[in-house]
Amino acid sequence: MALLNEFFLELPGESLFSDVAKKINTFKVIRPNAELIDMGINDVTSPLPSPVVEAMHKAVDDMADSTTFHGYGPEQGYEFLREAIVKNDFNPRGIHLMPNEVFINDGVKSEIGNIGDILRADNTIGVIDPIYPIYIESNVISGRAGVFNHGKWSNVCYLNCNENNGFTPMPPEIPIDIVYLCSPDNPTGAAYSKGQLKKWVDYALKNNTLILFDASYEAYIQSPDIPHSIYEIRGAKKVAIELRSFSRTAGFTGLRCGYTIIPKELMVQTLDGRRLQMNTLWSRRQSVRFNGVSYITQCAAAATYSPEGEKELRTTREYYMENARLMRRILSQLNLKIYGGEHIPYLWIKIPTETSSWEFFESMLYGAKVICTPGVVFGPGGEGFVRLSAFAKKEACEQAAKRLRDWLK
Ligand code: PLP
């Protein structure tokens, strides 16, 4: 009989996001005529830019002609896209990478779990908290997270993001094998400065820590002082993998494309002390477990770097950021503590009363008819906060903020 990987049973039956959905459904049954505004939205809402759509049409035509047809592509991604990434996303920031240090994938969510394939199950892990929950859940499945007790996983070191540390925790005293950082961070919106990231890189160099740096939201960074890539920090190529996605940068949430940077300098160690190049191992892993992202999708991703594509995408991102500023302006008429919205289109709001984030979510739902995301969904450190997303349409953002202002007054 086939036996189950029992670590899988450690996962909660459903994610906390489905609890949010259930509570919203209950509301809709009780109040069928109420007009809800969804500020919990975890997706983009603007369509793909026209150069991306045109590139896809052309790629479809290529597939219809025997002289330009593309079958299986390279597992690591087409050279044309890997080169465009290096040239556009890294070289202008003084970062030199080879195209074969870039691995094209179907998005950060799957990649985060996939990387665990080549890492032992007994590595210790650390996460900033609150955080994108997939970092932890993917480790639960592979047995790295331990057991769930009082809202925390026993083998996970939680690095609390709070108002005192500006939501950017610094390295702990103890050594950790694998650390997940996200900057700008979903949900808090905090972004690490160069000086802060240097402390993390120095810590990793000293302790042989592997940093998994999620830069999915880097395109929203508004200040020249905030690094877009961890490789802007000297020494980072020796300790960090960077994950990036076209989802938030270019509206690819439904199309699926991202990429991972694994520099040649990054080594991983065996239990008996051999040091091996992670890049070579990952390339081999991909050739066993992956058959590449579709040609059509990679053509679409490459078109995001065309001058017209970049222009349209800048406008779209500015639209979301302007939504965040608009909500902040309206809500600042109250005595609320509002974080985020500066380098990411999410507002991270401190609950002004002594209620839990679930209770506040429900009272906002029934009182203002606005959906938010309870902070605790992103980890225990999110208790006492809620997240509002500005990835919605402008009218919805404005109306929701006005409803909240009137409800909270
Ligand atoms: N990383 C973070 C921090 C996210 O918030 C999300 C989506 O919400 C993802 C990764 C998922 O990215 P992708 O669409 O590339 O899987």
Side-chain angles (χ1 to χ4, degrees):
M1 177 178 284
L3 296 177
L4 182 73
N5 162 14
E6 290 187 16
F7 292 124
F8 194 82
L9 299 179
E10 298 292 331
L11 266 187
E14 284 178 340
S15 80
L16 292 177
F17 284 96
S18 51
D19 288 344
V20 173
K22 275 187 207 149
K23 286 181 193 291
I24 296 166
N25 284 340
T26 308
F27 173 88
K28 286 181 179 165
V29 171
I30 299 173
R31 308 262 176 91
N33 298 321
E35 269 186 40
L36 271 179
I37 310 179
D38 190 358
M39 292 291 109
I41 181 163
N42 213 22
D43 202 344
V44 294
T45 49
S46 299
L48 293 167
S50 43
V52 168
V53 176
E54 279 159 26
M56 280 198 285
H57 282 304
K58 182 177 173 308
V60 170
D61 289 341
D62 288 350
M63 298 299 269
D65 184 327
S66 63
T67 60
T68 48
F69 170 74
H70 284 72
Y72 289 125
E75 291 96 349
Q76 294 76 9
Y78 283 106
E79 198 73 4
F80 67 80
L81 180 56
R82 300 169 97 185
E83 276 173 5
I85 287 168
V86 171
K87 182 166 160 254
N88 292 282
D89 288 345
F90 294 95
N91 289 352
R93 300 194 181 281
I95 300 163
H96 296 283
L97 292 169
M98 299 298 288
N100 61 7
E101 293 174 299
V102 181
F103 294 86
I104 311 299
N105 56 45
D106 66 349
V108 170
K109 185 179 190 175
S110 23
E111 195 77 340
I112 282 170
N114 291 344
I115 286 170
D117 272 8
I118 59 167
L119 298 166
R120 276 178 67 102
D122 53 2
N123 280 299
T124 52
I125 68 163
V127 292
I128 58 172
D129 168 44
I131 197 72
Y132 181 51
I134 297 302
Y135 301 158
I136 296 181
E137 294 199 342
S138 57
N139 278 297
V140 172
I141 297 176
S142 50
R144 247 175 245 118
V147 288
F148 195 59
N149 221 336
H150 300 299
K152 288 191 174 179
W153 293 93
S154 57
N155 291 352
V156 176
C157 176
Y158 291 79
L159 303 159
N160 191 251
C161 303
N162 54 47
E163 290 171 288
N164 294 335
N165 61 23
F167 302 97
T168 48
M170 286 294 100
E173 297 296 323
I174 50 159
I176 302 175
D177 300 319
I178 305 168
V179 168
Y180 295 77
L181 299 178
C182 182
S183 180
D185 178 44
N186 173 22
T188 66
Y192 278 104
S193 69
K194 269 197 180 140
Q196 290 175 320
L197 266 192
K198 183 175 179 325
K199 290 201 173 121
W200 271 108
V201 169
D202 290 347
Y203 165 86
L205 286 166
K206 183 170 159 221
N207 295 292
N208 270 326
T209 301
L210 172 65
I211 298 178
L212 294 175
F213 187 75
D214 185 344
S216 290
Y217 293 87
E218 61 77 32
Y220 290 93
I221 292 172
Q222 306 289 308
S223 154
D225 302 333
I226 303 290
H228 287 242
S229 166
I230 193 161
Y231 307 120
E232 289 179 49
I233 314 300
R234 194 185 288 267
K237 283 188 181 173
K238 290 197 170 82
V239 291
I241 290 177
E242 184 160 305
L243 301 133
R244 291 212 187 177
S245 172
F246 290 94
S247 287
R248 307 292 167 162
T249 316
F252 275 47
T253 51
L255 207 51
R256 311 305 303 144
C257 195
Y259 65 86
T260 302
I261 304 294
I262 307 193
K264 293 273 172 89
E265 291 165 51
L266 181 64
M267 297 294 179
V268 63
Q269 200 163 310
T270 60
L271 199 57
D272 62 9
R274 279 173 298 146
R275 288 171 67 76
L276 304 169
Q277 202 179 46
M278 190 109 177
N279 180 289
T280 315
L281 297 171
W282 188 246
S283 190
R284 184 73 185 104
R285 186 269 177 205
Q286 293 298 76
S287 67
V288 174
R289 297 263 252 176
F290 193 50
N291 251 338
V293 173
S294 81
Y295 170 69
I296 298 168
T297 303
Q298 293 193 57
C299 288
T304 64
Y305 297 111
S306 66
E308 201 43 48
E310 284 198 334
K311 193 166 149 227
E312 280 193 40
L313 288 170
R314 251 198 312 276
T315 308
T316 305
R317 291 193 296 262
E318 185 46 33
Y319 173 82
Y320 295 134
M321 289 307 291
E322 187 48 37
N323 284 350
R325 288 190 279 268
L326 174 66
M327 288 164 77
R328 194 183 247 279
R329 267 199 306 279
I330 297 169
L331 291 173
S332 63
Q333 294 164 22
L334 300 165
N335 198 15
L336 270 184
K337 284 200 168 159
I338 307 170
Y339 300 95
E342 276 180 280
H343 305 295
I344 202 167
Y346 294 123
L347 298 186
W348 186 239
I349 298 183
K350 185 160 189 193
I351 298 172
T353 51
E354 286 287 307
T355 43
S356 73
S357 61
W358 275 117
E359 284 166 336
F360 192 71
F361 157 82
E362 285 210 82
S363 53
M364 185 189 292
L365 183 63
Y366 285 84
K369 298 178 191 61
V370 172
I371 300 169
C372 65
T373 310
V376 77
V377 162
F378 301 97
E383 187 52 279
F385 289 84
V386 291
R387 190 195 74 177
L388 294 180
S389 168
F391 277 112
K393 296 285 175 213
K394 179 182 174 203
E395 301 68 34
C397 292
E398 182 167 11
Q399 210 191 341
K402 285 183 176 162
R403 276 196 199 175
L404 289 178
R405 178 194 59 194
D406 298 343
W407 172 66
L408 282 166
K409 245 183 204 165

